[in-house]
Amino acid sequence: MEELTKLDRPNSMTLQRRDITRELRLMVITDRHLARPHEISEVVEAALVGGAKAIQLRNKGDSANELLETGRNLRCLTEDHGALLLVNDRLDVALAIGADGVHLGPKDPPIQEVRKLVSDEFLIGFSADDPELAHSAVTEGANYIGCGTIYPTSTKLDAGDVIGIPGLRSVIDAVSVPVIAIGGITNNRIPEV
């Protein structure tokens, strides 16, 4: 086995190449406020029992210590269920808890710089609703694209313009990696997406 650097900390999810296309069909994104009166871990465990294979820790406003504590709990749950765990924005937290990856946006560190610090198995997602930006992100090392806002949403006030299904299709056509639609996707809208 090749010698691993300290940033290549393997966990059960990164020791083998994963089929992320299948696992990213549904990503549960955490939100402490939307989970109330339940704890994040309760909501995530229910999602995992229900078949979710990807969880993104995205508790905006939480301190680094709060994210670490929640992340460690979610890491145990996702490992028990054979699911991916990604951390929104915070590479430091993702590495500290042994997450499978990080999800970045345009205001986060550049993908190519993050890619230099992590193993090839470490997943990097990127938020893009523009086909050219999505293509550029994949060229720089993104493994998947989070695309939206597909429909109007009340859960993220700074979500950006609604791009609809045509905008989603244009991003899908521009890249060769999985594209995760986000924003206003209700049970009734799932078949269209």
Side-chain angles (χ1 to χ4, degrees):
M1 183 177 212
E2 294 179 14
E3 186 175 319
L4 299 174
T5 67
K6 64 182 175 182
L7 293 179
D8 289 329
R9 292 179 213 146
N11 62 45
S12 64
M13 301 309 190
T14 59
L15 291 177
Q16 57 192 1
R17 201 53 160 153
R18 301 188 64 118
D19 179 11
I20 64 168
T21 301
R22 178 170 152 68
E23 292 176 319
L24 293 180
R25 289 178 55 97
L26 170 67
M27 181 181 291
V28 176
I29 301 175
T30 68
D31 184 307
R32 185 174 309 284
H33 303 291
L34 292 176
R36 288 184 180 146
H38 303 286
E39 294 294 321
I40 292 291
S41 58
E42 293 175 281
V43 173
V44 166
E45 185 167 27
L48 292 167
V49 168
K53 292 294 180 192
I55 305 295
Q56 183 183 134
L57 173 57
R58 185 187 178 276
N59 287 353
K60 294 287 188 179
D62 280 10
S63 69
N65 285 336
E66 290 169 322
L67 287 171
L68 284 168
E69 181 181 344
T70 302
R72 287 183 183 115
N73 291 334
L74 298 187
R75 176 76 277 182
C76 290
L77 289 171
T78 54
E79 283 184 335
D80 287 349
H81 289 272
L84 297 171
L85 176 63
L86 299 114
V87 177
N88 184 269
D89 297 337
R90 299 291 304 261
L91 177 63
D92 57 339
V93 173
L95 292 172
I97 65 172
D100 298 292
V102 66
H103 185 90
L104 304 172
K107 295 178 182 177
D108 294 320
I111 296 167
Q112 66 271 25
E113 295 301 319
V114 172
R115 184 52 70 202
K116 291 177 189 177
L117 298 173
V118 298
S119 69
D120 290 341
E121 291 82 15
F122 189 85
L123 300 175
I124 300 175
F126 188 77
S127 295
D129 60 6
D130 174 77
E132 290 180 25
L133 181 58
H135 180 75
S136 176
V138 172
T139 300
E140 293 171 9
N143 300 99
Y144 74 89
I145 299 295
C147 181
T149 305
I150 307 304
Y151 303 102
T153 181
S154 62
T155 61
K156 188 176 184 208
L157 300 178
D158 64 344
D161 295 335
V162 173
I163 63 168
I165 296 298
L168 174 61
R169 173 55 58 199
S170 68
V171 171
I172 291 169
D173 291 343
V175 298
S176 60
V177 297
V179 176
I180 301 171
I182 188 169
I185 300 171
T186 62
N187 287 340
N188 295 341
R189 292 175 172 157
I190 289 173
E192 183 178 19
V193 173

